[in-house]
Amino acid sequence: MVTIKGGRKRLTTGALAAATAGLALGAFTLSGTANGAPAAAGATDAGRHAKPTIVLEHGAFADGSSWNGVITDLRADGYPVVAAANPLRGPASDAAALRTVLDHVKGPKIVVGHSYGGNVISQAVTGDPDVKALVYVAAFLPAPGESALELTNKYPGSTLPDALDPVTYQQADGSTATDLYIRQDKFRHQFAADVPAGQAALMAAEQRPIAQAALEEKATTAAWRTKPSWAVVTKDDLNIPVAVQRFMTERAHAHTTEVAASHSVAVSHPRLVADVIERAARATVR
C-alpha cells in the first residue's frame, strides 16, 4: 500500500447517503476517438497492440465532467477513454446501461468506478473477458447481499446525512420515490473540500441526484473476486469513511494507494488517479 501525504450519524433509509454511479445508454462521453465511435483496441501500424480503452464510471452527486482532469492525463499518455453517463437509478439497471457501453467498445478494457460507480462496475463487468482490471476510486466494493447504505454505516465517519437535500416525486405508476442531492451550501465541505471554491460551486450546481433506492439495493455479483483490482483510498473522505474503504479494498486484495484527499479525488488529484489506472493497465494488458 502506498501512502501519500498531502458526531457520529448513521445513514438511514429515510435520510440516505452514498456515493457514486453508473451510465446511460447512448449518453456517454467519448475521448480518444475518431468519427464519433470509441477507439477500439487493436494492432498499431507497427504491429503492436494498442493500449486498452479506459472506461470511467462516475458516482452519485457528479457527472462525467468529474473525470476531466483524469481524461486529459490518460489521453496525453496515449490511452483511449470513454466516460459513461450513469443513470444513478440502481446497481442492476445502471450496470445494464454500462454493459451496453462495454459491449460497444472492442478490445481490452480497464474499468474504473468512483464512489457508487464501484457498485455498478462490480456487477457490469462480471464474466467479461475483455475487462482486464478494475480500478476503484474512493468507491464501494460490495459483496453480494451488501448495499452502499449498509457499507457506509459499517464504520463511523460519514457526515453525509446532514448534508442531503431529498426531493420526493411521483412516478408514472403513481408511487412515490426520492432523489438525493447534496445541499449546495454544504457541497464543498462534504464532497470536495480540496477542490478550489469556484470549481466546487460549479460541481454543486451541476450535480446529478441519485435515487435513494439505489443506495439500498443489494449487490448480486462481485467482479473483484475474479478480476485484479486497484484502489485509491481517500483518507479525508466525508462520504465513505476511510475505515470502510480500507475494509473493502483489503477484502478484495486490491493494490491500494492512499492519499489525503476528499471524496472528489479525481478532481483534486487527477494525475494520481491516472497513474493508478495506468499501473493497472500495464500490469494486466500485454
Side-chain angles (χ1 to χ4, degrees), residues 10-283:
R10 293 177 64 82
L11 296 177
T12 65
T13 55
L16 279 163
T20 55
L23 34 139
L25 172 59
F28 48 87
T29 302
L30 304 180
S31 300
T33 65
N35 300 322
T44 66
D45 291 340
R48 297 168 300 180
H49 287 288
K51 291 181 177 179
T53 299
I54 311 301
V55 179
L56 304 169
E57 181 80 334
H58 69 80
F61 318 117
D63 61 18
S65 68
S66 62
W67 295 112
N68 282 353
V70 176
I71 292 170
T72 298
D73 287 337
L74 290 172
R75 292 188 64 187
D77 293 337
Y79 288 89
V81 184
V82 177
N86 190 342
L88 304 176
R89 300 297 88 188
S93 62
D94 294 342
L98 180 57
R99 181 74 258 154
T100 67
V101 178
L102 295 174
D103 288 345
H104 189 65
V105 178
K106 305 308 178 185
K109 294 175 277 287
I110 307 298
V111 182
V112 185
H114 173 242
S115 190
Y116 162 84
N119 293 56
V120 178
I121 68 171
S122 295
Q123 185 160 328
V125 310
T126 299
D128 187 340
D130 287 336
V131 175
K132 304 304 181 183
L134 300 171
V135 181
Y136 294 88
V137 179
F140 290 107
L141 292 77
E146 293 177 339
S147 68
L149 177 62
E150 175 185 349
L151 285 167
T152 302
N153 281 332
K154 189 172 185 65
Y155 297 104
S158 178
T159 60
L160 187 56
D162 284 342
L164 288 173
D165 183 15
V167 176
T168 300
Y169 61 94
Q170 189 172 53
Q171 302 186 101
D173 63 1
S175 63
T176 60
T178 300
D179 273 350
L180 300 174
Y181 295 81
I182 294 177
R183 286 174 45 183
Q184 290 197 31
D185 62 338
K186 294 192 173 186
F187 186 93
R188 187 184 183 209
H189 173 75
Q190 178 63 42
F191 197 80
D194 53 358
V195 174
Q199 187 176 6
L202 290 175
M203 293 167 62
E206 296 164 352
Q207 67 177 294
R208 295 186 54 221
I210 186 167
Q212 177 173 304
L215 303 182
E216 301 167 337
E217 185 178 320
K218 296 183 182 300
T220 57
T221 61
W224 49 262
R225 287 180 167 172
T226 57
K227 294 186 181 293
S229 300
W230 277 253
V232 176
V233 168
T234 42
K235 296 191 289 185
D236 299 332
D237 201 312
L238 298 182
N239 273 28
I240 307 177
V242 64
V244 175
Q245 294 183 51
R246 287 170 176 158
F247 162 76
M248 294 184 292
T249 56
E250 290 169 7
R251 178 176 64 178
H253 304 292
H255 306 274
T256 301
T257 297
E258 291 199 357
V259 58
S262 75
H263 195 62
S264 294
V265 63
V267 179
S268 61
H269 294 75
R271 182 68 259 177
L272 179 146
V273 173
D275 284 346
V276 172
I277 294 168
E278 291 180 19
R279 285 203 295 273
R282 290 193 299 269

